[in-house]
Amino acid sequence: MKLLFNLLAFTALIFTTAANADISENSLAPQKEANFAQNYLDRFMQRDFDYVMSLIDTEVAGTISPEKLEEMHGYLPSGKLLSTELIGSQVKVINDNWEGSFTFEYHFEDGWALASAYMIRTEGKISIAGFSVYNTPDSQKELNRFSLSNKPLGHYLVLTMAIIFPVFILVTLVTCIRTPVQKRKWLWILFILFSVGAIKLNWTTGAYHIKLFSFQLFGGGAVSASEHAPLILTAGFPLGAIIFWFKRRSLIGQKKKTQKSQTELKESDNSV
């Protein structure tokens, strides 16, 4: 029983850490490039379109015009800019080719907006290969805040599975450890630990993805890339744990039969 409680506590710690994982883009993002992207987008906010156009990569320059920039600027909320925050970054380096994407959240007096800049570095010079701007009904923290209210049935079903399956697997794991298995108990333990297949649910948007060929440790989990990102729930089918319960009685019987045979053989040797 003590082992069971320890395993439950350990799993709860894992899920709590995963669910609250805050990959701080402000600390992990390359600051020089992030500052460059922010300055570029700030100049766009200030309608410095000459500067914006001067840094556009030549391959996409033909698709951008002052009229298009003016149209994009119209997507921004009105009012004074209150704050700017880096909420997303992605950097990829292949050989000598550097690519980076940075997303900022802007809080205006009359609303919120997101702006992203996609940059490339060629021969030490950074250019803008694309950028986007659009307004949002609220901050990303608020939009992606975890809430149980007003969710469709599918949300609650996946959430229930993501909670119950790990507990079921843990209980089965402890039972397996304490069950007399004739040989290769470690194979049963591995079989129980991993679920088969998985369903992933974006708690904010409701988008889901089913993977038939997937193995999930403990059969479930919840993770959010940051406080600005949606919570992603994962639930996998605990096939190994279910099969163990169907096989448990026969496994115990095999062990007892082997022990009985060994006892009878030992008694036969002693009688001789």
mmCIF file of all heavy atoms in Angstrom, residues 4 7-8 10-12 14-15 158-174 192-195 216-222 234-238 241:
data_model
loop_
_atom_site.group_PDB
_atom_site.id
_atom_site.type_symbol
_atom_site.label_atom_id
_atom_site.label_comp_id
_atom_site.label_asym_id
_atom_site.label_seq_id
_atom_site.Cartn_x
_atom_site.Cartn_y
_atom_site.Cartn_z
ATOM 1 N N LEU A 4 1.998 1.972 -3.445
ATOM 2 C CA LEU A 4 0.929 2.558 -4.248
ATOM 3 C C LEU A 4 0.836 4.057 -4.026
ATOM 4 O O LEU A 4 0.747 4.848 -4.983
ATOM 5 C CB LEU A 4 -0.410 1.878 -3.910
ATOM 6 C CG LEU A 4 -1.660 2.480 -4.580
ATOM 7 C CD1 LEU A 4 -1.518 2.405 -6.096
ATOM 8 C CD2 LEU A 4 -2.910 1.742 -4.119
ATOM 9 N N LEU A 7 3.729 5.854 -5.686
ATOM 10 C CA LEU A 7 3.566 5.947 -7.132
ATOM 11 C C LEU A 7 2.529 6.993 -7.514
ATOM 12 O O LEU A 7 2.707 7.753 -8.463
ATOM 13 C CB LEU A 7 3.166 4.582 -7.707
ATOM 14 C CG LEU A 7 4.288 3.541 -7.791
ATOM 15 C CD1 LEU A 7 3.709 2.178 -8.159
ATOM 16 C CD2 LEU A 7 5.330 3.964 -8.818
ATOM 17 N N LEU A 8 1.433 7.030 -6.782
ATOM 18 C CA LEU A 8 0.404 8.032 -7.049
ATOM 19 C C LEU A 8 0.940 9.447 -6.841
ATOM 20 O O LEU A 8 0.668 10.361 -7.628
ATOM 21 C CB LEU A 8 -0.818 7.793 -6.151
ATOM 22 C CG LEU A 8 -1.679 6.583 -6.499
ATOM 23 C CD1 LEU A 8 -2.739 6.376 -5.418
ATOM 24 C CD2 LEU A 8 -2.344 6.759 -7.849
ATOM 25 N N PHE A 10 4.055 10.354 -7.041
ATOM 26 C CA PHE A 10 5.045 10.624 -8.089
ATOM 27 C C PHE A 10 4.350 11.022 -9.388
ATOM 28 O O PHE A 10 4.750 11.971 -10.060
ATOM 29 C CB PHE A 10 5.902 9.387 -8.303
ATOM 30 C CG PHE A 10 6.879 9.522 -9.434
ATOM 31 C CD1 PHE A 10 7.971 10.377 -9.333
ATOM 32 C CD2 PHE A 10 6.710 8.787 -10.602
ATOM 33 C CE1 PHE A 10 8.873 10.501 -10.370
ATOM 34 C CE2 PHE A 10 7.616 8.908 -11.637
ATOM 35 C CZ PHE A 10 8.693 9.762 -11.520
ATOM 36 N N THR A 11 3.286 10.291 -9.750
ATOM 37 C CA THR A 11 2.565 10.599 -10.981
ATOM 38 C C THR A 11 1.872 11.945 -10.893
ATOM 39 O O THR A 11 1.848 12.719 -11.847
ATOM 40 C CB THR A 11 1.535 9.502 -11.283
ATOM 41 O OG1 THR A 11 2.204 8.245 -11.327
ATOM 42 C CG2 THR A 11 0.854 9.751 -12.607
ATOM 43 N N ALA A 12 1.293 12.240 -9.736
ATOM 44 C CA ALA A 12 0.645 13.539 -9.558
ATOM 45 C C ALA A 12 1.647 14.667 -9.739
ATOM 46 O O ALA A 12 1.337 15.710 -10.328
ATOM 47 C CB ALA A 12 0.011 13.612 -8.170
ATOM 48 N N ILE A 14 4.338 14.534 -11.624
ATOM 49 C CA ILE A 14 4.646 14.617 -13.058
ATOM 50 C C ILE A 14 3.572 15.402 -13.785
ATOM 51 O O ILE A 14 3.856 16.311 -14.570
ATOM 52 C CB ILE A 14 4.771 13.205 -13.668
ATOM 53 C CG1 ILE A 14 6.019 12.516 -13.122
ATOM 54 C CG2 ILE A 14 4.826 13.278 -15.191
ATOM 55 C CD1 ILE A 14 6.173 11.089 -13.604
ATOM 56 N N PHE A 15 2.288 15.070 -13.552
ATOM 57 C CA PHE A 15 1.210 15.733 -14.266
ATOM 58 C C PHE A 15 1.083 17.194 -13.867
ATOM 59 O O PHE A 15 0.774 18.059 -14.674
ATOM 60 C CB PHE A 15 -0.124 15.004 -14.023
ATOM 61 C CG PHE A 15 -0.196 13.679 -14.714
ATOM 62 C CD1 PHE A 15 -0.768 12.588 -14.093
ATOM 63 C CD2 PHE A 15 0.334 13.525 -15.982
ATOM 64 C CE1 PHE A 15 -0.825 11.367 -14.733
ATOM 65 C CE2 PHE A 15 0.286 12.301 -16.632
ATOM 66 C CZ PHE A 15 -0.300 11.225 -16.005
ATOM 67 N N VAL A 158 -12.551 13.279 -22.665
ATOM 68 C CA VAL A 158 -11.102 13.154 -22.773
ATOM 69 C C VAL A 158 -10.435 13.487 -21.438
ATOM 70 O O VAL A 158 -9.482 12.820 -21.017
ATOM 71 C CB VAL A 158 -10.558 14.067 -23.885
ATOM 72 C CG1 VAL A 158 -9.031 14.026 -23.914
ATOM 73 C CG2 VAL A 158 -11.119 13.651 -25.241
ATOM 74 N N LEU A 159 -10.940 14.505 -20.748
ATOM 75 C CA LEU A 159 -10.387 14.867 -19.439
ATOM 76 C C LEU A 159 -10.536 13.712 -18.457
ATOM 77 O O LEU A 159 -9.605 13.399 -17.698
ATOM 78 C CB LEU A 159 -11.091 16.114 -18.902
ATOM 79 C CG LEU A 159 -10.672 16.578 -17.503
ATOM 80 C CD1 LEU A 159 -9.199 16.949 -17.482
ATOM 81 C CD2 LEU A 159 -11.525 17.763 -17.048
ATOM 82 N N THR A 160 -11.691 13.070 -18.464
ATOM 83 C CA THR A 160 -11.924 11.933 -17.573
ATOM 84 C C THR A 160 -10.956 10.795 -17.876
ATOM 85 O O THR A 160 -10.371 10.187 -16.970
ATOM 86 C CB THR A 160 -13.373 11.432 -17.710
ATOM 87 O OG1 THR A 160 -14.282 12.498 -17.376
ATOM 88 C CG2 THR A 160 -13.630 10.253 -16.789
ATOM 89 N N MET A 161 -10.772 10.504 -19.157
ATOM 90 C CA MET A 161 -9.849 9.441 -19.538
ATOM 91 C C MET A 161 -8.413 9.791 -19.145
ATOM 92 O O MET A 161 -7.650 8.927 -18.700
ATOM 93 C CB MET A 161 -9.935 9.177 -21.043
ATOM 94 C CG MET A 161 -11.238 8.535 -21.481
ATOM 95 S SD MET A 161 -11.208 7.989 -23.221
ATOM 96 C CE MET A 161 -10.996 9.564 -24.079
ATOM 97 N N ALA A 162 -8.040 11.070 -19.322
ATOM 98 C CA ALA A 162 -6.678 11.500 -19.001
ATOM 99 C C ALA A 162 -6.395 11.400 -17.504
ATOM 100 O O ALA A 162 -5.233 11.341 -17.091
ATOM 101 C CB ALA A 162 -6.452 12.932 -19.482
ATOM 102 N N ILE A 163 -7.439 11.373 -16.680
ATOM 103 C CA ILE A 163 -7.273 11.235 -15.231
ATOM 104 C C ILE A 163 -7.377 9.774 -14.786
ATOM 105 O O ILE A 163 -6.551 9.270 -14.024
ATOM 106 C CB ILE A 163 -8.319 12.086 -14.484
ATOM 107 C CG1 ILE A 163 -8.088 13.575 -14.758
ATOM 108 C CG2 ILE A 163 -8.275 11.812 -12.988
ATOM 109 C CD1 ILE A 163 -9.156 14.476 -14.194
ATOM 110 N N ILE A 164 -8.402 9.076 -15.316
ATOM 111 C CA ILE A 164 -8.683 7.715 -14.857
ATOM 112 C C ILE A 164 -7.650 6.716 -15.370
ATOM 113 O O ILE A 164 -7.194 5.832 -14.626
ATOM 114 C CB ILE A 164 -10.101 7.295 -15.283
ATOM 115 C CG1 ILE A 164 -11.141 8.091 -14.485
ATOM 116 C CG2 ILE A 164 -10.310 5.796 -15.069
ATOM 117 C CD1 ILE A 164 -12.563 7.760 -14.858
ATOM 118 N N PHE A 165 -7.257 6.842 -16.619
ATOM 119 C CA PHE A 165 -6.331 5.854 -17.193
ATOM 120 C C PHE A 165 -4.999 5.791 -16.438
ATOM 121 O O PHE A 165 -4.504 4.701 -16.142
ATOM 122 C CB PHE A 165 -6.096 6.135 -18.673
ATOM 123 C CG PHE A 165 -7.271 5.769 -19.550
ATOM 124 C CD1 PHE A 165 -7.283 6.110 -20.901
ATOM 125 C CD2 PHE A 165 -8.358 5.083 -19.037
ATOM 126 C CE1 PHE A 165 -8.352 5.780 -21.707
ATOM 127 C CE2 PHE A 165 -9.446 4.741 -19.834
ATOM 128 C CZ PHE A 165 -9.439 5.093 -21.176
ATOM 129 N N PRO A 166 -4.366 6.928 -16.113
ATOM 130 C CA PRO A 166 -3.123 6.840 -15.332
ATOM 131 C C PRO A 166 -3.317 6.183 -13.967
ATOM 132 O O PRO A 166 -2.465 5.408 -13.520
ATOM 133 C CB PRO A 166 -2.687 8.304 -15.197
ATOM 134 C CG PRO A 166 -3.285 8.991 -16.376
ATOM 135 C CD PRO A 166 -4.609 8.320 -16.564
ATOM 136 N N VAL A 167 -4.428 6.504 -13.303
ATOM 137 C CA VAL A 167 -4.693 5.893 -12.002
ATOM 138 C C VAL A 167 -4.896 4.385 -12.153
ATOM 139 O O VAL A 167 -4.362 3.578 -11.369
ATOM 140 C CB VAL A 167 -5.931 6.540 -11.353
ATOM 141 C CG1 VAL A 167 -6.307 5.806 -10.067
ATOM 142 C CG2 VAL A 167 -5.671 8.011 -11.057
ATOM 143 N N PHE A 168 -5.641 4.009 -13.179
ATOM 144 C CA PHE A 168 -5.874 2.583 -13.438
ATOM 145 C C PHE A 168 -4.564 1.858 -13.720
ATOM 146 O O PHE A 168 -4.314 0.749 -13.226
ATOM 147 C CB PHE A 168 -6.842 2.430 -14.611
ATOM 148 C CG PHE A 168 -7.058 1.014 -15.060
ATOM 149 C CD1 PHE A 168 -7.609 0.073 -14.202
ATOM 150 C CD2 PHE A 168 -6.716 0.621 -16.341
ATOM 151 C CE1 PHE A 168 -7.810 -1.244 -14.608
ATOM 152 C CE2 PHE A 168 -6.906 -0.685 -16.769
ATOM 153 C CZ PHE A 168 -7.459 -1.619 -15.899
ATOM 154 N N ILE A 169 -3.697 2.471 -14.510
ATOM 155 C CA ILE A 169 -2.404 1.879 -14.831
ATOM 156 C C ILE A 169 -1.539 1.749 -13.581
ATOM 157 O O ILE A 169 -0.869 0.727 -13.367
ATOM 158 C CB ILE A 169 -1.680 2.709 -15.916
ATOM 159 C CG1 ILE A 169 -2.351 2.481 -17.265
ATOM 160 C CG2 ILE A 169 -0.197 2.348 -15.993
ATOM 161 C CD1 ILE A 169 -1.777 3.310 -18.395
ATOM 162 N N LEU A 170 -1.551 2.763 -12.727
ATOM 163 C CA LEU A 170 -0.753 2.712 -11.503
ATOM 164 C C LEU A 170 -1.234 1.616 -10.558
ATOM 165 O O LEU A 170 -0.429 0.881 -9.982
ATOM 166 C CB LEU A 170 -0.780 4.064 -10.803
ATOM 167 C CG LEU A 170 0.128 5.139 -11.406
ATOM 168 C CD1 LEU A 170 -0.152 6.477 -10.761
ATOM 169 C CD2 LEU A 170 1.576 4.759 -11.225
ATOM 170 N N VAL A 171 -2.533 1.517 -10.406
ATOM 171 C CA VAL A 171 -3.087 0.460 -9.546
ATOM 172 C C VAL A 171 -2.724 -0.914 -10.113
ATOM 173 O O VAL A 171 -2.336 -1.832 -9.377
ATOM 174 C CB VAL A 171 -4.610 0.622 -9.420
ATOM 175 C CG1 VAL A 171 -5.220 -0.588 -8.710
ATOM 176 C CG2 VAL A 171 -4.952 1.903 -8.660
ATOM 177 N N THR A 172 -2.841 -1.048 -11.430
ATOM 178 C CA THR A 172 -2.492 -2.319 -12.081
ATOM 179 C C THR A 172 -1.007 -2.614 -11.931
ATOM 180 O O THR A 172 -0.606 -3.765 -11.698
ATOM 181 C CB THR A 172 -2.869 -2.268 -13.568
ATOM 182 O OG1 THR A 172 -4.248 -1.924 -13.710
ATOM 183 C CG2 THR A 172 -2.608 -3.621 -14.225
ATOM 184 N N LEU A 173 -0.184 -1.581 -12.045
ATOM 185 C CA LEU A 173 1.254 -1.754 -11.911
ATOM 186 C C LEU A 173 1.625 -2.286 -10.528
ATOM 187 O O LEU A 173 2.419 -3.226 -10.394
ATOM 188 C CB LEU A 173 1.963 -0.423 -12.167
ATOM 189 C CG LEU A 173 3.484 -0.410 -12.002
ATOM 190 C CD1 LEU A 173 4.133 -1.346 -13.008
ATOM 191 C CD2 LEU A 173 4.026 1.004 -12.151
ATOM 192 N N VAL A 174 1.044 -1.680 -9.490
ATOM 193 C CA VAL A 174 1.320 -2.129 -8.127
ATOM 194 C C VAL A 174 0.836 -3.567 -7.929
ATOM 195 O O VAL A 174 1.521 -4.394 -7.321
ATOM 196 C CB VAL A 174 0.647 -1.189 -7.107
ATOM 197 C CG1 VAL A 174 0.776 -1.756 -5.699
ATOM 198 C CG2 VAL A 174 1.256 0.198 -7.175
ATOM 199 N N ILE A 192 2.259 -2.851 -19.094
ATOM 200 C CA ILE A 192 1.254 -2.106 -18.337
ATOM 201 C C ILE A 192 1.529 -0.602 -18.352
ATOM 202 O O ILE A 192 0.614 0.215 -18.459
ATOM 203 C CB ILE A 192 1.201 -2.630 -16.879
ATOM 204 C CG1 ILE A 192 0.639 -4.048 -16.845
ATOM 205 C CG2 ILE A 192 0.385 -1.701 -15.984
ATOM 206 C CD1 ILE A 192 0.813 -4.743 -15.526
ATOM 207 N N LEU A 193 2.805 -0.239 -18.256
ATOM 208 C CA LEU A 193 3.173 1.177 -18.142
ATOM 209 C C LEU A 193 2.760 2.014 -19.345
ATOM 210 O O LEU A 193 2.420 3.190 -19.197
ATOM 211 C CB LEU A 193 4.687 1.301 -17.943
ATOM 212 C CG LEU A 193 5.212 1.184 -16.512
ATOM 213 C CD1 LEU A 193 6.727 1.193 -16.515
ATOM 214 C CD2 LEU A 193 4.670 2.317 -15.651
ATOM 215 N N PHE A 194 2.784 1.418 -20.536
ATOM 216 C CA PHE A 194 2.523 2.182 -21.762
ATOM 217 C C PHE A 194 1.150 1.856 -22.327
ATOM 218 O O PHE A 194 0.765 0.694 -22.452
ATOM 219 C CB PHE A 194 3.592 1.880 -22.812
ATOM 220 C CG PHE A 194 4.944 2.442 -22.477
ATOM 221 C CD1 PHE A 194 5.853 1.697 -21.747
ATOM 222 C CD2 PHE A 194 5.289 3.718 -22.867
ATOM 223 C CE1 PHE A 194 7.106 2.208 -21.423
ATOM 224 C CE2 PHE A 194 6.533 4.247 -22.547
ATOM 225 C CZ PHE A 194 7.438 3.497 -21.828
ATOM 226 N N SER A 195 0.413 2.912 -22.666
ATOM 227 C CA SER A 195 -0.866 2.738 -23.337
ATOM 228 C C SER A 195 -0.642 2.623 -24.836
ATOM 229 O O SER A 195 0.434 2.932 -25.350
ATOM 230 C CB SER A 195 -1.782 3.918 -23.033
ATOM 231 O OG SER A 195 -1.207 5.122 -23.521
ATOM 232 N N GLN A 216 1.947 5.886 -24.939
ATOM 233 C CA GLN A 216 1.919 6.960 -23.959
ATOM 234 C C GLN A 216 2.247 6.414 -22.579
ATOM 235 O O GLN A 216 1.575 5.510 -22.080
ATOM 236 C CB GLN A 216 0.532 7.622 -23.935
ATOM 237 C CG GLN A 216 0.355 8.717 -22.920
ATOM 238 C CD GLN A 216 1.036 9.996 -23.335
ATOM 239 O OE1 GLN A 216 1.269 10.222 -24.513
ATOM 240 N NE2 GLN A 216 1.355 10.840 -22.374
ATOM 241 N N LEU A 217 3.287 6.953 -21.947
ATOM 242 C CA LEU A 217 3.646 6.527 -20.603
ATOM 243 C C LEU A 217 2.540 6.899 -19.627
ATOM 244 O O LEU A 217 2.057 8.026 -19.608
ATOM 245 C CB LEU A 217 4.960 7.190 -20.180
ATOM 246 C CG LEU A 217 5.524 6.800 -18.817
ATOM 247 C CD1 LEU A 217 5.882 5.320 -18.799
ATOM 248 C CD2 LEU A 217 6.745 7.652 -18.486
ATOM 249 N N PHE A 218 2.107 5.946 -18.825
ATOM 250 C CA PHE A 218 1.036 6.105 -17.837
ATOM 251 C C PHE A 218 -0.330 6.347 -18.462
ATOM 252 O O PHE A 218 -1.309 6.558 -17.756
ATOM 253 C CB PHE A 218 1.346 7.233 -16.843
ATOM 254 C CG PHE A 218 2.502 6.941 -15.941
ATOM 255 C CD1 PHE A 218 3.650 7.699 -16.001
ATOM 256 C CD2 PHE A 218 2.449 5.897 -15.043
ATOM 257 C CE1 PHE A 218 4.729 7.436 -15.181
ATOM 258 C CE2 PHE A 218 3.521 5.618 -14.210
ATOM 259 C CZ PHE A 218 4.666 6.385 -14.288
ATOM 260 N N GLY A 219 -0.424 6.373 -19.795
ATOM 261 C CA GLY A 219 -1.733 6.425 -20.440
ATOM 262 C C GLY A 219 -2.413 7.764 -20.465
ATOM 263 O O GLY A 219 -3.580 7.862 -20.883
ATOM 264 N N GLY A 220 -1.758 8.828 -20.047
ATOM 265 C CA GLY A 220 -2.418 10.132 -20.094
ATOM 266 C C GLY A 220 -1.498 11.240 -19.656
ATOM 267 O O GLY A 220 -0.439 10.999 -19.074
ATOM 268 N N GLY A 221 -1.891 12.449 -19.949
ATOM 269 C CA GLY A 221 -1.077 13.591 -19.551
ATOM 270 C C GLY A 221 -1.719 14.896 -19.963
ATOM 271 O O GLY A 221 -2.697 14.934 -20.728
ATOM 272 N N ALA A 222 -1.183 15.980 -19.447
ATOM 273 C CA ALA A 222 -1.649 17.319 -19.774
ATOM 274 C C ALA A 222 -0.445 18.241 -19.799
ATOM 275 O O ALA A 222 0.374 18.221 -18.883
ATOM 276 C CB ALA A 222 -2.664 17.803 -18.734
ATOM 277 N N THR A 234 -3.886 14.464 -23.307
ATOM 278 C CA THR A 234 -3.596 13.225 -24.031
ATOM 279 C C THR A 234 -4.121 12.048 -23.226
ATOM 280 O O THR A 234 -3.884 11.964 -22.023
ATOM 281 C CB THR A 234 -2.089 13.054 -24.268
ATOM 282 O OG1 THR A 234 -1.584 14.175 -24.984
ATOM 283 C CG2 THR A 234 -1.816 11.790 -25.067
ATOM 284 N N ALA A 235 -4.838 11.162 -23.901
ATOM 285 C CA ALA A 235 -5.332 9.940 -23.255
ATOM 286 C C ALA A 235 -5.067 8.763 -24.178
ATOM 287 O O ALA A 235 -5.388 8.810 -25.372
ATOM 288 C CB ALA A 235 -6.824 10.058 -22.953
ATOM 289 N N GLY A 236 -4.453 7.713 -23.635
ATOM 290 C CA GLY A 236 -4.157 6.509 -24.407
ATOM 291 C C GLY A 236 -4.864 5.300 -23.814
ATOM 292 O O GLY A 236 -5.105 5.236 -22.598
ATOM 293 N N PHE A 237 -5.182 4.323 -24.634
ATOM 294 C CA PHE A 237 -5.917 3.143 -24.182
ATOM 295 C C PHE A 237 -5.000 2.215 -23.398
ATOM 296 O O PHE A 237 -3.968 1.758 -23.916
ATOM 297 C CB PHE A 237 -6.495 2.409 -25.392
ATOM 298 C CG PHE A 237 -7.391 1.266 -25.031
ATOM 299 C CD1 PHE A 237 -8.607 1.483 -24.413
ATOM 300 C CD2 PHE A 237 -7.006 -0.040 -25.302
ATOM 301 C CE1 PHE A 237 -9.436 0.426 -24.083
ATOM 302 C CE2 PHE A 237 -7.823 -1.104 -24.970
ATOM 303 C CZ PHE A 237 -9.040 -0.863 -24.353
ATOM 304 N N PRO A 238 -5.344 1.894 -22.143
ATOM 305 C CA PRO A 238 -4.474 1.061 -21.284
ATOM 306 C C PRO A 238 -4.606 -0.424 -21.601
ATOM 307 O O PRO A 238 -5.034 -1.236 -20.767
ATOM 308 C CB PRO A 238 -4.978 1.387 -19.875
ATOM 309 C CG PRO A 238 -6.429 1.680 -20.064
ATOM 310 C CD PRO A 238 -6.536 2.370 -21.411
ATOM 311 N N ALA A 241 -2.689 -2.945 -19.241
ATOM 312 C CA ALA A 241 -3.288 -3.076 -17.917
ATOM 313 C C ALA A 241 -4.558 -3.920 -17.957
ATOM 314 O O ALA A 241 -4.800 -4.747 -17.069
ATOM 315 C CB ALA A 241 -3.594 -1.689 -17.357
#
